[in-house]
Amino acid sequence: MSNPTQPLGPFKLVTVNTAPERAKRLVGRVVEQLKDQFTIIHAANVDNIADVRATVKSIQPDILFCASMWTSEESSEIQGIAKEEIPGIKTMAIPQGLQVEKGPDAVVEFLLEAVPGLITGS
């Protein structure tokens, strides 16, 4: 049985975001706030759909996030590619337009609420 005070992980994360610096900043905030529960390593960002397969194949992440600039169809395509390469990878799409409509704090809040359940499967 694991020690409840030890964070779970490490989990390698790949983000798919056309603004890599923003992805790094926002994920950094989430990683910092969840560090007591999970060790998450932001291993890479992909800024276009064409590079998703190669990046997932080479990094072998545990988790993949699609940023809010992608349409639901694009997010589904990205997540599908990741799941073809790594069956069982945990993927999530941030709701389309969240960053533009409500700003970075809303994205961080969404991730803080969603990530624990994504990782633990609850």
Side-chain angles (χ1 to χ4, degrees):
M1 205 172 231
S2 66
N3 182 343
T5 60
Q6 286 292 104
L8 298 176
F11 299 98
K12 284 191 286 184
L13 167 67
V14 167
T15 52
V16 186
N17 189 320
T18 58
E21 283 305 311
R22 183 170 60 216
K24 185 177 179 181
R25 262 193 327 273
L26 296 184
V27 167
R29 288 174 58 191
V30 172
V31 167
E32 179 63 25
Q33 291 186 51
L34 293 177
K35 71 181 179 185
D36 292 340
Q37 297 173 343
F38 308 103
T39 301
I40 301 170
I41 300 158
H42 189 199
N45 181 74
V46 184
D47 60 12
N48 66 74
I49 295 173
D51 293 338
V52 170
R53 187 176 307 279
T55 302
V56 167
K57 194 178 279 192
S58 107
I59 301 282
Q60 293 290 303
D62 304 290
I63 308 166
L64 178 135
F65 294 162
C66 297
S68 63
M69 77 270 308
W70 305 109
T71 65
S72 59
E73 292 81 13
E74 289 167 328
S75 289
S76 292
E77 179 184 355
I78 291 164
Q79 292 175 81
I81 292 167
K83 289 175 180 178
E84 284 173 14
E85 290 302 320
I86 304 175
I89 187 172
K90 296 177 185 291
T91 66
M92 180 173 48
I94 297 165
Q96 183 181 4
L98 186 61
Q99 166 78 27
V100 170
E101 292 169 18
K102 297 191 177 174
D105 290 346
V107 173
V108 171
E109 186 178 314
F110 173 83
L111 290 172
L112 288 172
E113 290 177 14
V115 168
L118 179 71
I119 291 175
T120 63
S122 59

